[in-house]
Amino acid sequence: MHSMQLNGRLVNFEAGQTLLEVARANEVPIPTLCHHPGLESHGGCRLCVVEVTRAEWDGWWRMVSACEFPAADDLIVATESERLSRTRRNVVDLLLARCPETPFTVALGRDFGLAKSSLAPRAEPDDCILCGLCVRVCAAVGAHAIAGADRGVHKQVGPPYAPPSFERPPGLAPAGDCIGCLCCAEICPTGHIRYENNAQGREIWGRSFRVVECASCGAPLGTPEQLDHFAARSGLSRDYFERCDACSKLDTARAFDQQVMGEGTS
Amino acid sequence: MNHDFSELEGILARYPKAPASLVMLLQDIQEAYNYLPCEALQQVADELKVPHSQVFSVATFYKVFSLTPKGRTIVRVCKGTACHVRGAQLITDECERLLGLRPGETADDLEFTLEVVNCVGACAMAPVVVVGEKYHGAVKPNRVRKVLGVKRC
């Protein structure tokens, strides 16, 4: 077992854990924004910064992102300090300047004692804070349909040629690699990624999808592209994905029941 | 824009079919066509097995790549600090007037593209204008016409 100091307390951890994981396991709160337990850490938002030092460092310290920094023996970690508060407040200040009217950033500002940004707000703000969660979840799903385009203050997220600053060539279908799974919209903390489920099906990233229904109960399941993708990726037959979870369970239970009952009567 | 994409096959054959070849391929395509056609990006993505979205991301990240056609001759007026204090604005104005283009624009006949850049690393010979591959130093407004090699006004 390994151990390190967390806010003056000796805590145990397992090899390979990040500082954030250790802190959460010990119920020490660290604010995060671009972190998601299901995705690889990205270290983009800089909200989870903590101070690390060692006894032999002679008073020197480093500010690191807790979501990425690996826990190590004899490390001395502080999750709260005046310096850290200032750094985190600066990050939130920048986000507020980027998205001055987005409920998510406004609430975040309130948490950090900022009623409004100290910087000039963006002229035509949208709700995107460029946390990268949507791009990472899309890659984790395996669709790789969206990515960041352009750079610096012009950076935007979307499928190729989708951001408004680009002209989509007439021959190119919108969001060609998108499977319409809505993971990006679900994970988006600010609701920037819009979608619509309607009578015709589903719409996201400017593309329309058909929605297939559960073969047994008729509940909406997902898009055909989504089912194809899941079948191809898992190596299971597509039939497996054509039933909703509830119906699959019911089928399994029925089959089991029949088997048991069958054995009982014979 | 209609293109003959026969050249693309040859360019694609130059490098190994691996994600690491992406930037080199895009550079060669940019050089051959003066921009990155949509069809080429798609083909590069398919060949290298890199997601189309990622190819697009790289193509829009670097300044050397352009998604819209650029002129056969790219005129870069340097506006770095040294060039700026030695009159780059006058040079820019003269280029704009002679070419009839604003910075970032391309002529309809695809002859010229005018760009204003931040530093070309030749501060000692400021103000600098780069025409195609050739660097012209200590440019004065009355020399711009000669440097550009244009007759039209």
Side-chain angles (χ1 to χ4, degrees):
Chain A
M1 201 55 162
H2 304 273
S3 65
M4 62 172 207
Q5 238 188 72
L6 181 64
N7 290 348
R9 196 153 57 97
L10 203 64
V11 296
N12 293 328
F13 66 89
E14 280 158 37
Q17 279 189 302
T18 62
L19 295 183
L20 182 65
E21 284 164 348
V22 178
R24 295 222 161 140
N26 288 282
E27 288 169 6
V28 172
I30 295 177
T32 57
L33 200 162
C34 73
H35 178 261
H36 190 283
L39 299 172
E40 203 170 310
S41 291
H42 169 65
C45 73
R46 312 315 287 178
L47 217 55
C48 69
V49 284
V50 294
E51 282 176 17
V52 298
T53 184
R54 285 174 180 279
E56 67 269 23
W57 280 9
D58 215 14
W60 285 85
W61 52 276
R62 277 180 73 188
M63 208 182 267
V64 300
S65 52
C67 68
E68 289 184 310
F69 202 83
D73 281 314
D74 305 322
L75 209 60
I76 303 165
V77 181
T79 64
E80 295 300 331
S81 78
E82 182 46 43
R83 270 192 302 249
L84 288 171
S85 304
R86 212 165 43 230
T87 305
R88 291 176 188 152
R89 207 163 32 230
N90 273 342
V91 169
V92 175
D93 200 12
L94 287 163
L95 287 174
L96 257 182
R98 183 176 168 85
C99 304
E101 280 148 33
T102 306
F104 179 85
T105 46
V106 171
L108 196 66
R110 215 179 298 124
D111 291 347
F112 284 82
L114 291 164
K116 70 188 213 20
S117 179
S118 67
L119 304 146
R122 195 154 53 128
E124 284 168 35
D126 57 16
D127 290 332
C128 182
I129 54 172
L130 294 174
C131 63
L133 278 169
C134 53
V135 173
R136 283 181 290 146
V137 76
C138 191
V141 163
H144 296 279
I146 54 174
D150 221 327
R151 65 199 258 180
V153 292
H154 302 294
K155 186 167 179 174
Q156 285 166 303
V157 166
Y161 296 95
S165 49
F166 300 103
E167 207 176 305
R168 188 161 51 80
L172 187 78
D177 291 336
C178 181
I179 56 169
C181 67
L182 303 186
C183 284
C184 53
E186 294 276 343
I187 208 166
C188 179
T190 64
H192 168 68
I193 300 173
R194 308 273 148 83
Y195 68 95
E196 203 188 307
N197 277 320
N198 52 32
Q200 287 77 45
R202 179 179 289 175
E203 244 173 83
I204 187 164
W205 294 119
R207 181 169 163 191
S208 305
F209 290 93
R210 213 156 54 74
V211 171
V212 288
E213 291 160 350
C214 170
S216 304
C217 71
L221 264 187
T223 67
E225 289 83 352
Q226 203 179 333
L227 303 194
D228 288 342
H229 179 77
F230 291 162
R233 205 164 175 220
S234 62
L236 296 167
S237 94
R238 197 176 183 283
D239 302 343
Y240 179 81
F241 295 97
E242 280 169 359
R243 240 164 264 273
C244 70
D245 281 354
C247 289
S248 293
K249 278 183 195 151
L250 207 61
D251 287 350
T252 312
R254 279 205 189 107
F256 182 70
D257 195 32
Q258 229 156 40
Q259 205 184 340
V260 173
M261 292 302 283
E263 274 170 18
T265 49
S266 66
Chain B
M1 181 145 307
N2 287 318
H3 264 299
D4 164 23
F5 287 110
S6 52
E7 214 177 319
L8 199 55
E9 291 296 323
I11 296 172
L12 284 166
R14 282 180 209 165
Y15 302 99
K17 303 243 181 300
S21 310
L22 178 58
V23 171
M24 290 170 310
L25 267 178
L26 294 182
Q27 280 176 323
D28 287 10
I29 296 167
Q30 172 81 38
E31 203 180 304
Y33 295 101
N34 281 325
Y35 81 114
L36 299 175
C38 169
E39 296 84 343
L41 291 185
Q42 181 77 65
Q43 206 166 330
V44 166
D46 294 344
E47 291 273 338
L48 300 186
K49 306 258 184 306
V50 173
H52 190 198
S53 61
Q54 213 174 332
V55 174
F56 187 77
S57 188
V58 172
T60 54
F61 184 85
Y62 294 105
K63 277 253 169 111
V64 287
F65 299 135
S66 167
L67 296 182
T68 47
K70 289 212 171 174
R72 281 176 286 275
T73 307
I74 298 174
V75 179
R76 296 189 180 90
V77 184
C78 182
K79 244 188 189 175
T81 312
C83 292
H84 177 76
V85 297
R86 300 198 65 175
Q89 187 57 53
L90 294 173
I91 309 297
T92 311
D93 291 347
E94 189 62 7
C95 286
E96 284 186 33
R97 194 179 69 80
L98 286 172
L99 298 174
L101 298 171
R102 311 258 312 138
E105 284 181 353
T106 299
D108 291 337
D109 60 3
L110 295 182
E111 190 55 49
F112 286 104
T113 291
L114 179 62
E115 283 177 359
V116 170
V117 296
N118 285 328
C119 185
V120 295
C123 309
M125 44 197 258
V128 176
V129 177
V130 188
V131 182
E133 301 274 287
K134 199 166 172 356
Y135 285 61
H136 300 269
V139 178
K140 292 180 178 60
N142 60 5
R143 269 192 58 221
V144 170
R145 183 188 296 270
K146 209 176 146 205
V147 162
L148 295 179
V150 285
K151 284 172 202 76
R152 64 178 166 170
C153 196

